[in-house]
Amino acid sequence: MSALPGFTPISDRIFLRDGAPGPVAEPPSDSAADHPTTIIIFGWGDGLPKHVSKYADGYHKLYPKARVLMVISSIFAAIYDSLEQRTKSMIPIIDTVFPVAADDARERVLLHTMSNTGGIYAAAALNAFKQRHGEDKALPHFLSVSDSTPGGLEFSTEVGRWSRAMALGTAKWFPWPFAVTQGLWWAFLHTVNLIETAVGREPSGKYSCRVFLENSMATPRAPRLYMYSKADDLIGWEDVEAHAAVAQSRGYTTVLERFDNSPHVGHMRMHPERYWNAIERCWKASMALEAKS
C-alpha cells in the first residue's frame, strides 16, 4: 500500500485521517457540536488516493475536527467480487466508527459516495453494519451525498458506459488503442453478466441501488444530496433524477444539485464553491431537522 501523507491505512483500501478508532469523545460545546464527527468517502472506481484525498481536504476546511475515512476501490473488484467479499472489505469501517455500540449517539456520520463503484461499496458498508450489530439496525448517519451516482441498471443499454469507465481507469496499463481496451472490458462485462444470470447472483450495481432505497438498510433519517451533471458521459442525469424520485416516494428527503458542464466526478473541480456550499447547506438542514425531532 502506498503511503498517503496525513492518512493511516486501516486496511488495503481504507485510509483514516485525523482520528483514532472507536467512538468519538463527547463533542465540545462550540460550533463543532453541530459538525460531523466522522465523514466516510467512498471514492470513484480506480480513483488514486492522492486524487480522492482532495475531497478529504475540502471536508477538513469545512469541519476541521471531523475524522475522515476514505475508501479506494477498483471497478473490477466492484463488479467481480461477491457481496460477501465486498461486505468483508468494509468491516474495518464499522469496527473503527462503531466498535461496540450499534447506535452511539455521539457519532454524527456523513456518507459521501462517488460514482457507481463508490455506491457499491457504500452499500457493502450498510450490509457490514448489519452483520456486526444486528439485522434490525441501519448504519446511523445524518446526510448521504451522492456525486455522479447512481446510473442506469439495464445491462444492454449501460454496458457501453461501464466498459468505457473501466477503460478510462486502465488504459495506461496497455500499449494498444483505447478502443481495444474498452472492447476487452466490454467482453469481460458480458462474461460476468452471463455468469451472474446463470447462478442467480444479483449484480453489485443493482444491489447498491436497491438497498439505498430500503429504510431498513439506509435510514430515512438522513437527507440525500444528489450532485450530478448533464455533461456526464458515464452517468445519465435522467437516471440520477429517477433514483431521487423513488427515494422521495419512500420517505427520504432529497435535494438535487444539477450542474450543466462538469464531467463525471468533476463537479467539485469545476465548481468548488457551489459544491461545498451545497454540502454545508444540506448538513445544516439535517441538523435543524434533528433538533426538531
Side-chain angles (χ1 to χ4, degrees), residues 147-159:
D147 181 328
S148 307
T149 188
L153 298 176
E154 188 62 42
F155 179 83
S156 61
T157 59
E158 297 298 319
V159 65

Side-chain angles (χ1 to χ4, degrees), residues 28 58 77 82 86 93-94 104 106 125 150 154 200 212 233 259 278 290:
S82 66
R86 300 194 305 272
I93 290 178
I94 308 307
D104 195 311
R106 295 172 297 182
E154 188 62 42
F212 262 98
D233 62 347
F259 300 84
E290 191 67 20

Side-chain angles (χ1 to χ4, degrees), residues 44-213:
W44 65 91
D46 299 315
L48 296 177
K50 66 179 181 180
H51 294 151
V52 182
S53 67
K54 293 184 184 300
Y55 292 82
D57 293 340
Y59 274 115
H60 186 67
K61 291 178 182 178
L62 282 180
Y63 311 116
K65 294 187 178 182
R67 63 178 168 186
V68 179
L69 289 97
M70 185 175 69
V71 181
I72 303 296
S73 301
S74 71
I75 301 176
F76 177 88
I79 292 172
Y80 184 78
D81 286 354
S82 66
L83 174 60
E84 180 181 4
Q85 290 171 310
R86 300 194 305 272
T87 300
K88 183 178 179 181
S89 72
M90 294 297 101
I91 287 291
I93 290 178
I94 308 307
D95 290 346
T96 297
V97 183
F98 299 103
V100 179
D103 192 14
D104 195 311
R106 295 172 297 182
E107 282 286 358
R108 295 185 299 276
V109 176
L110 186 157
L111 301 182
H112 189 110
T113 302
M114 309 190 73
S115 194
N116 281 353
T117 294
I120 286 167
Y121 282 98
L126 297 182
N127 195 48
F129 186 88
K130 282 188 172 291
Q131 285 197 3
R132 273 292 191 252
H133 296 300
E135 286 299 317
D136 61 334
K137 300 288 185 180
L139 191 156
H141 61 286
F142 290 85
L143 177 64
S144 178
V145 179
S146 297
D147 181 328
S148 307
T149 188
L153 298 176
E154 188 62 42
F155 179 83
S156 61
T157 59
E158 297 298 319
V159 65
R161 285 175 169 171
W162 299 341
S163 61
R164 185 170 186 275
M166 298 182 79
L168 287 170
T170 59
K172 60 182 178 293
W173 300 349
F174 307 112
W176 48 69
F178 180 86
V180 175
T181 304
Q182 182 173 357
L184 291 172
W185 285 123
W186 185 90
F188 166 77
L189 290 169
H190 272 277
T191 301
V192 171
N193 183 61
L194 287 172
I195 293 172
E196 288 179 331
T197 300
V199 302
R201 190 178 89 170
E202 184 178 22
S204 57
K206 287 188 176 181
Y207 173 83
S208 64
C209 282
R210 177 173 64 80
V211 302
F212 262 98
L213 293 170

Side-chain angles (χ1 to χ4, degrees), residues 242-255:
H243 188 275
V246 175
Q248 186 79 34
S249 72
R250 296 188 182 182
Y252 296 92
T253 299
T254 61
V255 179

